[in-house]
Amino acid sequence: MRELIPEVIGVLVRRGADFAAAEDAVQEALIEALRADPPRDPKGWLVTVAWRRFLDTTRSDAARRRREERVDAEPPPGPAAETDDTLQLYFLCAHPSLSPASAVALTLRAVGGLTTRQIAQAYLVPEATMAQRISRAKRTVAGVRFDQPGDVATVLRVLYLVFNEGYSGDVDLVAEAIRLTRQLAAVVDHPEAAGLLALMLLHHARRAARIAPDGSLVPLAAQDRGRWDTGMIAEGVGILQTALSRDRLGEYQAQAAIAALHADAPTAAETDWVQIVEWYDELVRLTGSPIVRLNRAVAVGEADGARAGLAALAELDEGLPRHTAVAAYLHERAGDHSVAARLYAEAARKAPNLAERDHLTRQAARLNTET
Amino acid sequence: MAKYLLLKHYRGAPAAVNDVPMDKWTQEEISAHMKYMNDFAARLEQTGEFVDGQALAPEGTFVRYDGEGRPPVTDGPFPETKDLIAGWMVIDVDSYERAVALAGELSAAPGAGGKPIHEWLELRPFLAEPPTVTE
């Protein structure tokens, strides 16, 4: 039922509810829907219940008068408006006036229909904190008109954050990010929306192979490729090819192209690193990002040898996140095992999360205990 | 019930008995250690005694107010600082004795050679809410 939320909020807004009240009303209607028998016409049911909820909470005479005037002025909802409503809701929840954390929370609640408790669990903060973050976000966008055009790029950044930074709880944020991006790509004609969807599918396809039974990270080269989801890879590649054929390259399409080249290699040794370096060159051109240059140095190390990779690395700032980890890897490939072991241990101390720290510690230990 | 903080130190605690850094362990020894830690936390969740557990990066920054209209002063990390916290676990248990027993169990996590590390953990009681009954 959650996929109906954008349309239902859109109906309420066009009937005269403001966004914050409409969103609250739809959320309450969804909770009610969980208790009731499944309705035969879920959308009609949700609209009816949410509208009743909205009326219950806006009882004053003045409010009623204003509402009736607005209802008279509103055109009846039609099928064409539905895709527009979905898109408008994405724009509003990713509005540039919101901080990234607020935009993420508002998108998950208003577009995704997750409860505040679920979102709080996913980001490991108290429910009251998340409730405040969401209501502040709603106040921030209260003055934004629902029909103002927005920037798809800001929406894509929010969805990328949801995909990349999910934690725990009973909601799979990665799957939710894919669902929301798929829904967006269906209503907006934008090659980067398709590019992001392809990128997500190609990475998600490797999920089962990425974590060992003992919980440790498995690097790409060591993954059991038989455990990759080939159906999901095929879907991602198909979406990417259609997007690339439109000749409007962007960073998500380029990242997806790199993921597709990895997915395409039957074994790690058969990876087309030369083409991957070319895509990194495109990404450097598109973003200028030093992180991309760092990843490019790894690819150069595979395509042209570890010494070439180290030369590319030498041009970059040593303070970059994961610079030490990349240096360790390239030194190991170049045969300097003692240097690599020392760098792996140093990289472990600088690691941004436990899984990476444990992985890097294991790499250091592997080299220190080899005979 | 009383809450206790189990503090693990990078530095500042007395040396462990089996004091070999993890990057000198074998892969099997690392796996055994990780499994022990995960099982320990999972078991405390089962018994209803687990509250929270977090790990900290080794390096941080000292920050202080520097007066009206001025940005805060930052300094450090100070390598000479005696104490460096690595992480914590918060438990909610019936007694001090239970807290000591659990800390002892955590300190027995296997390290190099598969033998217990005998690491020193710091056990600190939380200052609780005042009770309702006072006389």
Side-chain angles (χ1 to χ4, degrees):
Chain A
M1 234 170 174
R2 287 196 291 124
E3 65 275 14
L4 297 168
I5 294 166
E7 293 170 32
V8 177
I9 291 180
V11 170
L12 263 62
V13 168
R14 266 179 287 106
R15 283 188 186 176
D18 63 276
F19 162 68
E23 200 278 324
D24 280 336
V26 174
Q27 178 86 215
E28 284 174 37
L30 274 170
I31 291 166
E32 201 166 309
L34 292 175
R35 287 196 292 263
D37 290 331
R40 217 168 301 145
D41 169 17
K43 185 182 162 188
W45 187 92
L46 270 183
V47 169
T48 307
V49 175
W51 184 246
R52 204 166 58 223
R53 288 285 174 168
F54 168 70
L55 294 182
D56 287 347
T57 48
T58 39
R59 279 238 169 84
S60 82
D61 282 351
R64 189 179 308 138
R65 236 187 345 266
R66 279 202 304 277
R67 195 169 63 238
E68 281 160 2
E69 283 162 14
R70 275 190 304 230
V71 171
D72 285 343
E74 290 298 329
E82 286 171 5
T83 57
D84 291 350
D85 285 342
T86 301
L87 191 54
Q88 285 309 326
L89 195 59
Y90 276 98
F91 285 148
L92 192 63
C93 294
H95 197 267
S97 62
L98 296 170
S99 69
S102 301
V104 162
L106 192 58
T107 298
L108 286 174
R109 200 179 123 124
V111 191
L114 302 184
T115 64
T116 303
R117 175 193 291 267
Q118 288 174 318
I119 302 167
Q121 275 179 356
Y123 289 97
L124 305 177
V125 299
E127 190 177 348
T129 303
M130 188 52 80
Q132 278 305 319
R133 192 179 296 173
I134 290 169
S135 43
R136 284 174 67 97
K138 284 190 188 175
R139 281 201 296 278
T140 303
V141 298
V144 180
R145 280 184 42 207
F146 202 63
D147 56 357
Q148 267 172 351
D151 182 0
V152 175
T154 61
V155 177
L156 297 179
R157 265 197 297 279
V158 168
L159 295 173
Y160 183 83
L161 274 180
V162 174
F163 182 77
N164 222 17
E165 295 182 7
Y167 297 98
S168 50
D170 62 346
V171 180
D172 182 351
L173 282 188
V174 167
E176 182 65 6
I178 291 174
R179 186 180 78 81
L180 294 177
T181 307
R182 196 188 288 282
Q183 183 174 270
L184 177 73
V187 297
V188 70
D189 183 29
H190 197 297
E192 277 290 86
L196 181 60
L197 179 57
L199 171 66
M200 289 176 172
L201 291 169
L202 288 164
H203 278 272
H204 194 47
R206 297 187 212 138
R207 177 142 91 166
R210 207 155 42 210
I211 309 284
D214 65 1
S216 58
L217 285 181
V218 184
L220 186 54
Q223 286 175 16
D224 174 1
R225 296 179 179 223
R227 300 186 65 203
W228 288 359
D229 184 334
T230 47
M232 204 179 284
I233 289 171
E235 190 196 356
V237 168
I239 292 168
L240 175 66
Q241 281 171 341
T242 309
L244 287 175
S245 70
R246 302 184 50 190
D247 214 16
R248 281 166 58 202
L249 190 62
E251 58 175 307
Y252 296 122
Q253 293 169 77
Q255 283 189 57
I258 291 167
L261 283 166
H262 285 300
D264 201 36
T267 65
E270 290 168 88
T271 308
D272 187 347
W273 286 106
V274 172
Q275 234 197 110
I276 289 177
V277 171
E278 287 170 9
W279 277 109
Y280 274 119
D281 289 338
E282 286 285 0
L283 261 179
V284 168
R285 189 180 56 75
L286 288 164
T287 66
S289 154
I291 306 287
V292 170
R293 289 178 201 273
L294 190 64
N295 291 333
R296 182 183 169 278
V298 177
V300 169
E302 301 292 347
D304 303 330
R307 295 288 162 201
L310 285 166
L313 187 67
E315 295 169 17
L316 303 175
D317 181 357
E318 288 189 8
L320 278 174
R322 300 192 176 88
H323 185 284
T324 313
V326 170
Y329 177 75
L330 289 171
H331 276 287
E332 185 188 350
R333 299 280 294 183
D336 307 337
H337 285 200
S338 63
V339 175
R342 180 178 56 72
L343 288 170
Y344 274 129
E346 187 187 331
R349 285 191 291 277
K350 295 180 181 169
N353 61 64
L354 271 180
E356 272 181 53
R357 181 169 89 184
D358 294 344
H359 175 72
L360 291 164
T361 303
R362 278 177 185 276
Q363 301 312 306
R366 178 174 52 77
L367 294 180
N368 282 328
T369 56
E370 71 188 358
T371 45
Chain B
M1 299 292 276
K3 290 197 177 63
Y4 288 88
L5 178 66
L6 291 174
L7 272 182
K8 178 185 163 74
H9 295 250
Y10 283 118
R11 203 166 52 214
V17 174
N18 185 6
D19 194 18
V20 181
M22 196 185 278
D23 63 21
K24 301 286 194 310
W25 302 1
T26 66
Q27 300 295 301
E28 295 72 30
E29 288 161 3
I30 296 175
S31 294
H33 177 82
M34 300 295 178
K35 183 172 185 319
Y36 187 97
M37 303 300 275
N38 291 338
D39 289 352
F40 182 80
R43 194 152 42 78
L44 287 193
E45 278 186 273
Q46 288 297 315
T47 58
E49 294 172 309
F50 179 84
V51 178
D52 183 35
Q54 297 289 338
L56 297 174
E59 285 191 358
T61 310
F62 280 87
V63 184
R64 72 163 172 81
Y65 176 58
D66 197 38
E68 190 63 45
R70 298 161 67 95
V73 181
T74 61
D75 207 348
F78 301 116
E80 72 276 16
T81 307
K82 270 172 63 189
D83 209 39
L84 195 59
I85 293 162
W88 66 78
M89 187 179 282
V90 178
I91 54 175
D92 194 4
V93 292
D94 280 324
S95 65
Y96 173 73
E97 288 70 26
R98 173 68 177 158
V100 169
L102 288 175
E105 223 178 288
L106 194 57
S107 165
K115 301 209 165 53
I117 302 175
H118 299 273
E119 175 180 30
W120 288 94
L121 298 171
E122 193 179 355
L123 183 64
R124 303 277 300 271
F126 275 56
L127 292 176
E129 290 295 308
T132 312
V133 178
T134 53
E135 297 89 29

mmCIF file of all heavy atoms in Angstrom, chain B residues 89-127:
data_model
loop_
_atom_site.group_PDB
_atom_site.id
_atom_site.type_symbol
_atom_site.label_atom_id
_atom_site.label_comp_id
_atom_site.label_asym_id
_atom_site.label_seq_id
_atom_site.Cartn_x
_atom_site.Cartn_y
_atom_site.Cartn_z
ATOM 1 N N MET B 89 30.402 -1.014 26.517
ATOM 2 C CA MET B 89 29.153 -1.749 26.510
ATOM 3 C C MET B 89 28.410 -1.306 27.769
ATOM 4 O O MET B 89 29.017 -1.156 28.833
ATOM 5 C CB MET B 89 29.414 -3.248 26.532
ATOM 6 C CG MET B 89 28.151 -4.067 26.349
ATOM 7 S SD MET B 89 28.473 -5.841 26.335
ATOM 8 C CE MET B 89 29.102 -6.078 24.691
ATOM 9 N N VAL B 90 27.107 -1.029 27.617
ATOM 10 C CA VAL B 90 26.290 -0.682 28.772
ATOM 11 C C VAL B 90 25.414 -1.890 29.083
ATOM 12 O O VAL B 90 24.777 -2.446 28.185
ATOM 13 C CB VAL B 90 25.418 0.563 28.492
ATOM 14 C CG1 VAL B 90 24.533 0.867 29.699
ATOM 15 C CG2 VAL B 90 26.288 1.766 28.148
ATOM 16 N N ILE B 91 25.427 -2.304 30.336
ATOM 17 C CA ILE B 91 24.601 -3.440 30.743
ATOM 18 C C ILE B 91 23.672 -2.997 31.869
ATOM 19 O O ILE B 91 23.963 -2.037 32.580
ATOM 20 C CB ILE B 91 25.459 -4.642 31.203
ATOM 21 C CG1 ILE B 91 26.445 -4.212 32.308
ATOM 22 C CG2 ILE B 91 26.228 -5.225 30.019
ATOM 23 C CD1 ILE B 91 27.234 -5.364 32.896
ATOM 24 N N ASP B 92 22.566 -3.693 31.998
ATOM 25 C CA ASP B 92 21.588 -3.384 33.041
ATOM 26 C C ASP B 92 21.355 -4.684 33.801
ATOM 27 O O ASP B 92 20.727 -5.610 33.279
ATOM 28 C CB ASP B 92 20.289 -2.892 32.380
ATOM 29 C CG ASP B 92 19.355 -2.227 33.380
ATOM 30 O OD1 ASP B 92 19.734 -2.085 34.558
ATOM 31 O OD2 ASP B 92 18.231 -1.861 32.982
ATOM 32 N N VAL B 93 21.919 -4.775 35.010
ATOM 33 C CA VAL B 93 21.967 -6.067 35.701
ATOM 34 C C VAL B 93 21.425 -5.935 37.128
ATOM 35 O O VAL B 93 21.228 -4.831 37.642
ATOM 36 C CB VAL B 93 23.418 -6.608 35.755
ATOM 37 C CG1 VAL B 93 23.893 -6.976 34.354
ATOM 38 C CG2 VAL B 93 24.361 -5.581 36.374
ATOM 39 N N ASP B 94 21.231 -7.098 37.784
ATOM 40 C CA ASP B 94 20.628 -7.117 39.111
ATOM 41 C C ASP B 94 21.579 -6.688 40.217
ATOM 42 O O ASP B 94 21.142 -6.219 41.254
ATOM 43 C CB ASP B 94 20.111 -8.527 39.425
ATOM 44 C CG ASP B 94 18.767 -8.766 38.754
ATOM 45 O OD1 ASP B 94 17.978 -7.803 38.675
ATOM 46 O OD2 ASP B 94 18.524 -9.895 38.299
ATOM 47 N N SER B 95 22.875 -6.898 39.995
ATOM 48 C CA SER B 95 23.785 -6.659 41.115
ATOM 49 C C SER B 95 25.180 -6.306 40.619
ATOM 50 O O SER B 95 25.539 -6.578 39.463
ATOM 51 C CB SER B 95 23.890 -7.926 41.972
ATOM 52 O OG SER B 95 24.496 -8.948 41.199
ATOM 53 N N TYR B 96 25.950 -5.752 41.509
ATOM 54 C CA TYR B 96 27.356 -5.475 41.223
ATOM 55 C C TYR B 96 28.093 -6.780 40.909
ATOM 56 O O TYR B 96 28.916 -6.831 39.990
ATOM 57 C CB TYR B 96 27.988 -4.780 42.439
ATOM 58 C CG TYR B 96 29.490 -4.599 42.330
ATOM 59 C CD1 TYR B 96 30.032 -3.663 41.465
ATOM 60 C CD2 TYR B 96 30.349 -5.382 43.103
ATOM 61 C CE1 TYR B 96 31.405 -3.504 41.353
ATOM 62 C CE2 TYR B 96 31.726 -5.230 43.002
ATOM 63 C CZ TYR B 96 32.252 -4.295 42.131
ATOM 64 O OH TYR B 96 33.598 -4.147 42.028
ATOM 65 N N GLU B 97 27.752 -7.840 41.651
ATOM 66 C CA GLU B 97 28.420 -9.121 41.447
ATOM 67 C C GLU B 97 28.204 -9.630 40.019
ATOM 68 O O GLU B 97 29.116 -10.157 39.392
ATOM 69 C CB GLU B 97 27.911 -10.161 42.458
ATOM 70 C CG GLU B 97 28.398 -9.941 43.891
ATOM 71 C CD GLU B 97 27.771 -8.714 44.568
ATOM 72 O OE1 GLU B 97 26.655 -8.325 44.165
ATOM 73 O OE2 GLU B 97 28.411 -8.134 45.465
ATOM 74 N N ARG B 98 26.974 -9.477 39.528
ATOM 75 C CA ARG B 98 26.665 -9.909 38.164
ATOM 76 C C ARG B 98 27.483 -9.082 37.156
ATOM 77 O O ARG B 98 28.001 -9.611 36.182
ATOM 78 C CB ARG B 98 25.158 -9.753 37.909
ATOM 79 C CG ARG B 98 24.707 -10.010 36.497
ATOM 80 C CD ARG B 98 24.833 -11.452 36.078
ATOM 81 N NE ARG B 98 24.322 -11.658 34.734
ATOM 82 C CZ ARG B 98 24.672 -12.676 33.954
ATOM 83 N NH1 ARG B 98 25.515 -13.597 34.397
ATOM 84 N NH2 ARG B 98 24.178 -12.793 32.746
ATOM 85 N N ALA B 99 27.588 -7.778 37.398
ATOM 86 C CA ALA B 99 28.353 -6.912 36.489
ATOM 87 C C ALA B 99 29.817 -7.346 36.457
ATOM 88 O O ALA B 99 30.438 -7.416 35.384
ATOM 89 C CB ALA B 99 28.240 -5.455 36.934
ATOM 90 N N VAL B 100 30.367 -7.660 37.628
ATOM 91 C CA VAL B 100 31.769 -8.106 37.682
ATOM 92 C C VAL B 100 31.934 -9.432 36.944
ATOM 93 O O VAL B 100 32.887 -9.624 36.178
ATOM 94 C CB VAL B 100 32.232 -8.239 39.156
ATOM 95 C CG1 VAL B 100 33.580 -8.949 39.231
ATOM 96 C CG2 VAL B 100 32.327 -6.865 39.796
ATOM 97 N N ALA B 101 30.975 -10.325 37.126
ATOM 98 C CA ALA B 101 31.059 -11.623 36.461
ATOM 99 C C ALA B 101 31.041 -11.448 34.941
ATOM 100 O O ALA B 101 31.830 -12.076 34.213
ATOM 101 C CB ALA B 101 29.904 -12.515 36.903
ATOM 102 N N LEU B 102 30.173 -10.555 34.441
ATOM 103 C CA LEU B 102 30.077 -10.347 32.992
ATOM 104 C C LEU B 102 31.348 -9.692 32.456
ATOM 105 O O LEU B 102 31.837 -10.056 31.384
ATOM 106 C CB LEU B 102 28.847 -9.494 32.663
ATOM 107 C CG LEU B 102 27.503 -10.204 32.826
ATOM 108 C CD1 LEU B 102 26.352 -9.228 32.586
ATOM 109 C CD2 LEU B 102 27.393 -11.388 31.868
ATOM 110 N N ALA B 103 31.871 -8.711 33.193
ATOM 111 C CA ALA B 103 33.110 -8.062 32.756
ATOM 112 C C ALA B 103 34.237 -9.097 32.680
ATOM 113 O O ALA B 103 35.046 -9.098 31.740
ATOM 114 C CB ALA B 103 33.484 -6.927 33.706
ATOM 115 N N GLY B 104 34.283 -9.988 33.650
ATOM 116 C CA GLY B 104 35.292 -11.045 33.650
ATOM 117 C C GLY B 104 35.156 -11.946 32.440
ATOM 118 O O GLY B 104 36.146 -12.321 31.797
ATOM 119 N N GLU B 105 33.893 -12.242 32.095
ATOM 120 C CA GLU B 105 33.646 -13.089 30.931
ATOM 121 C C GLU B 105 34.110 -12.409 29.642
ATOM 122 O O GLU B 105 34.710 -13.033 28.769
ATOM 123 C CB GLU B 105 32.142 -13.342 30.853
ATOM 124 C CG GLU B 105 31.769 -14.767 30.530
ATOM 125 C CD GLU B 105 30.263 -14.923 30.535
ATOM 126 O OE1 GLU B 105 29.669 -14.886 31.644
ATOM 127 O OE2 GLU B 105 29.700 -15.048 29.444
ATOM 128 N N LEU B 106 33.832 -11.104 29.553
ATOM 129 C CA LEU B 106 34.227 -10.360 28.355
ATOM 130 C C LEU B 106 35.750 -10.304 28.247
ATOM 131 O O LEU B 106 36.319 -10.398 27.157
ATOM 132 C CB LEU B 106 33.640 -8.945 28.423
ATOM 133 C CG LEU B 106 33.664 -8.117 27.145
ATOM 134 C CD1 LEU B 106 32.934 -8.835 26.021
ATOM 135 C CD2 LEU B 106 33.009 -6.757 27.385
ATOM 136 N N SER B 107 36.405 -10.184 29.387
ATOM 137 C CA SER B 107 37.860 -10.097 29.405
ATOM 138 C C SER B 107 38.514 -11.422 29.017
ATOM 139 O O SER B 107 39.692 -11.470 28.680
ATOM 140 C CB SER B 107 38.321 -9.669 30.805
ATOM 141 O OG SER B 107 39.688 -9.896 30.967
ATOM 142 N N ALA B 108 37.722 -12.495 29.055
ATOM 143 C CA ALA B 108 38.248 -13.820 28.707
ATOM 144 C C ALA B 108 38.194 -14.077 27.205
ATOM 145 O O ALA B 108 38.535 -15.179 26.751
ATOM 146 C CB ALA B 108 37.464 -14.899 29.445
ATOM 147 N N ALA B 109 37.789 -13.084 26.403
ATOM 148 C CA ALA B 109 37.737 -13.266 24.952
ATOM 149 C C ALA B 109 39.079 -13.776 24.448
ATOM 150 O O ALA B 109 40.130 -13.312 24.890
ATOM 151 C CB ALA B 109 37.387 -11.935 24.281
ATOM 152 N N PRO B 110 39.051 -14.743 23.512
ATOM 153 C CA PRO B 110 40.313 -15.341 23.067
ATOM 154 C C PRO B 110 41.124 -14.397 22.185
ATOM 155 O O PRO B 110 40.567 -13.614 21.425
ATOM 156 C CB PRO B 110 39.863 -16.572 22.277
ATOM 157 C CG PRO B 110 38.497 -16.221 21.794
ATOM 158 C CD PRO B 110 37.886 -15.354 22.844
ATOM 159 N N GLY B 111 42.434 -14.468 22.309
ATOM 160 C CA GLY B 111 43.348 -13.663 21.501
ATOM 161 C C GLY B 111 44.393 -14.534 20.844
ATOM 162 O O GLY B 111 44.072 -15.618 20.344
ATOM 163 N N ALA B 112 45.652 -14.087 20.877
ATOM 164 C CA ALA B 112 46.735 -14.830 20.228
ATOM 165 C C ALA B 112 46.840 -16.228 20.843
ATOM 166 O O ALA B 112 46.702 -16.399 22.054
ATOM 167 C CB ALA B 112 48.045 -14.078 20.403
ATOM 168 N N GLY B 113 47.057 -17.225 19.982
ATOM 169 C CA GLY B 113 47.176 -18.602 20.440
ATOM 170 C C GLY B 113 45.839 -19.180 20.891
ATOM 171 O O GLY B 113 45.809 -20.270 21.476
ATOM 172 N N GLY B 114 44.736 -18.445 20.650
ATOM 173 C CA GLY B 114 43.428 -18.922 21.072
ATOM 174 C C GLY B 114 43.227 -18.835 22.577
ATOM 175 O O GLY B 114 42.247 -19.344 23.113
ATOM 176 N N LYS B 115 44.173 -18.199 23.287
ATOM 177 C CA LYS B 115 44.101 -18.124 24.753
ATOM 178 C C LYS B 115 43.431 -16.814 25.177
ATOM 179 O O LYS B 115 43.528 -15.801 24.469
ATOM 180 C CB LYS B 115 45.514 -18.176 25.339
ATOM 181 C CG LYS B 115 46.266 -19.446 24.956
ATOM 182 C CD LYS B 115 47.264 -19.821 26.015
ATOM 183 C CE LYS B 115 47.747 -21.241 25.834
ATOM 184 N NZ LYS B 115 48.259 -21.479 24.456
ATOM 185 N N PRO B 116 42.776 -16.807 26.340
ATOM 186 C CA PRO B 116 42.111 -15.571 26.796
ATOM 187 C C PRO B 116 43.076 -14.396 26.845
ATOM 188 O O PRO B 116 44.252 -14.559 27.203
ATOM 189 C CB PRO B 116 41.620 -15.935 28.202
ATOM 190 C CG PRO B 116 41.497 -17.413 28.204
ATOM 191 C CD PRO B 116 42.567 -17.919 27.279
ATOM 192 N N ILE B 117 42.565 -13.201 26.504
ATOM 193 C CA ILE B 117 43.429 -12.012 26.517
ATOM 194 C C ILE B 117 43.686 -11.542 27.955
ATOM 195 O O ILE B 117 44.715 -10.962 28.244
ATOM 196 C CB ILE B 117 42.767 -10.866 25.702
ATOM 197 C CG1 ILE B 117 42.498 -11.318 24.267
ATOM 198 C CG2 ILE B 117 43.649 -9.626 25.683
ATOM 199 C CD1 ILE B 117 41.748 -10.293 23.440
ATOM 200 N N HIS B 118 42.756 -11.814 28.859
ATOM 201 C CA HIS B 118 42.849 -11.284 30.236
ATOM 202 C C HIS B 118 43.005 -9.771 30.218
ATOM 203 O O HIS B 118 43.807 -9.208 30.951
ATOM 204 C CB HIS B 118 44.038 -11.882 31.011
ATOM 205 C CG HIS B 118 43.991 -13.359 31.173
ATOM 206 N ND1 HIS B 118 43.337 -13.978 32.204
ATOM 207 C CD2 HIS B 118 44.529 -14.359 30.429
ATOM 208 C CE1 HIS B 118 43.477 -15.298 32.097
ATOM 209 N NE2 HIS B 118 44.192 -15.557 31.026
ATOM 210 N N GLU B 119 42.246 -9.120 29.357
ATOM 211 C CA GLU B 119 42.329 -7.664 29.214
ATOM 212 C C GLU B 119 41.648 -6.995 30.411
ATOM 213 O O GLU B 119 40.644 -7.483 30.917
ATOM 214 C CB GLU B 119 41.595 -7.299 27.918
ATOM 215 C CG GLU B 119 41.447 -5.853 27.638
ATOM 216 C CD GLU B 119 40.689 -5.650 26.318
ATOM 217 O OE1 GLU B 119 39.849 -6.493 25.966
ATOM 218 O OE2 GLU B 119 40.960 -4.644 25.671
ATOM 219 N N TRP B 120 42.226 -5.866 30.871
ATOM 220 C CA TRP B 120 41.588 -5.116 31.958
ATOM 221 C C TRP B 120 40.449 -4.276 31.402
ATOM 222 O O TRP B 120 40.656 -3.443 30.524
ATOM 223 C CB TRP B 120 42.596 -4.193 32.653
ATOM 224 C CG TRP B 120 43.593 -4.922 33.493
ATOM 225 C CD1 TRP B 120 44.834 -5.329 33.106
ATOM 226 C CD2 TRP B 120 43.446 -5.334 34.859
ATOM 227 N NE1 TRP B 120 45.478 -5.977 34.136
ATOM 228 C CE2 TRP B 120 44.641 -5.996 35.230
ATOM 229 C CE3 TRP B 120 42.414 -5.217 35.800
ATOM 230 C CZ2 TRP B 120 44.837 -6.534 36.503
ATOM 231 C CZ3 TRP B 120 42.602 -5.740 37.062
ATOM 232 C CH2 TRP B 120 43.809 -6.402 37.410
ATOM 233 N N LEU B 121 39.246 -4.472 31.913
ATOM 234 C CA LEU B 121 38.101 -3.636 31.532
ATOM 235 C C LEU B 121 37.721 -2.795 32.737
ATOM 236 O O LEU B 121 37.838 -3.246 33.879
ATOM 237 C CB LEU B 121 36.909 -4.509 31.117
ATOM 238 C CG LEU B 121 37.152 -5.400 29.898
ATOM 239 C CD1 LEU B 121 35.991 -6.373 29.725
ATOM 240 C CD2 LEU B 121 37.312 -4.549 28.636
ATOM 241 N N GLU B 122 37.282 -1.577 32.475
ATOM 242 C CA GLU B 122 36.898 -0.709 33.587
ATOM 243 C C GLU B 122 35.383 -0.795 33.779
ATOM 244 O O GLU B 122 34.622 -0.657 32.821
ATOM 245 C CB GLU B 122 37.319 0.727 33.261
ATOM 246 C CG GLU B 122 37.259 1.645 34.462
ATOM 247 C CD GLU B 122 37.703 3.063 34.105
ATOM 248 O OE1 GLU B 122 38.130 3.292 32.959
ATOM 249 O OE2 GLU B 122 37.591 3.929 34.992
ATOM 250 N N LEU B 123 34.956 -1.037 35.005
ATOM 251 C CA LEU B 123 33.537 -1.180 35.320
ATOM 252 C C LEU B 123 33.083 0.052 36.092
ATOM 253 O O LEU B 123 33.573 0.319 37.180
ATOM 254 C CB LEU B 123 33.336 -2.448 36.154
ATOM 255 C CG LEU B 123 31.901 -2.817 36.527
ATOM 256 C CD1 LEU B 123 31.088 -3.132 35.286
ATOM 257 C CD2 LEU B 123 31.896 -4.006 37.478
ATOM 258 N N ARG B 124 32.151 0.815 35.522
ATOM 259 C CA ARG B 124 31.728 2.066 36.162
ATOM 260 C C ARG B 124 30.218 2.073 36.333
ATOM 261 O O ARG B 124 29.483 1.994 35.345
ATOM 262 C CB ARG B 124 32.136 3.259 35.283
ATOM 263 C CG ARG B 124 33.620 3.361 34.966
ATOM 264 C CD ARG B 124 34.407 4.026 36.080
ATOM 265 N NE ARG B 124 33.961 5.373 36.344
ATOM 266 C CZ ARG B 124 34.435 6.465 35.729
ATOM 267 N NH1 ARG B 124 35.373 6.349 34.812
ATOM 268 N NH2 ARG B 124 33.976 7.653 36.048
ATOM 269 N N PRO B 125 29.717 2.203 37.581
ATOM 270 C CA PRO B 125 28.273 2.284 37.783
ATOM 271 C C PRO B 125 27.711 3.619 37.287
ATOM 272 O O PRO B 125 28.375 4.654 37.420
ATOM 273 C CB PRO B 125 28.110 2.154 39.300
ATOM 274 C CG PRO B 125 29.439 2.439 39.885
ATOM 275 C CD PRO B 125 30.485 2.253 38.836
ATOM 276 N N PHE B 126 26.517 3.587 36.704
ATOM 277 C CA PHE B 126 25.831 4.827 36.334
ATOM 278 C C PHE B 126 25.291 5.486 37.609
ATOM 279 O O PHE B 126 24.915 4.797 38.546
ATOM 280 C CB PHE B 126 24.626 4.527 35.425
ATOM 281 C CG PHE B 126 24.970 4.396 33.981
ATOM 282 C CD1 PHE B 126 25.919 3.475 33.560
ATOM 283 C CD2 PHE B 126 24.343 5.183 33.028
ATOM 284 C CE1 PHE B 126 26.228 3.337 32.220
ATOM 285 C CE2 PHE B 126 24.659 5.052 31.682
ATOM 286 C CZ PHE B 126 25.601 4.132 31.278
ATOM 287 N N LEU B 127 25.241 6.817 37.622
ATOM 288 C CA LEU B 127 24.529 7.523 38.691
ATOM 289 C C LEU B 127 23.050 7.493 38.307
ATOM 290 O O LEU B 127 22.651 8.072 37.302
ATOM 291 C CB LEU B 127 25.038 8.960 38.816
ATOM 292 C CG LEU B 127 26.480 9.068 39.324
ATOM 293 C CD1 LEU B 127 26.931 10.518 39.335
ATOM 294 C CD2 LEU B 127 26.624 8.467 40.712
#
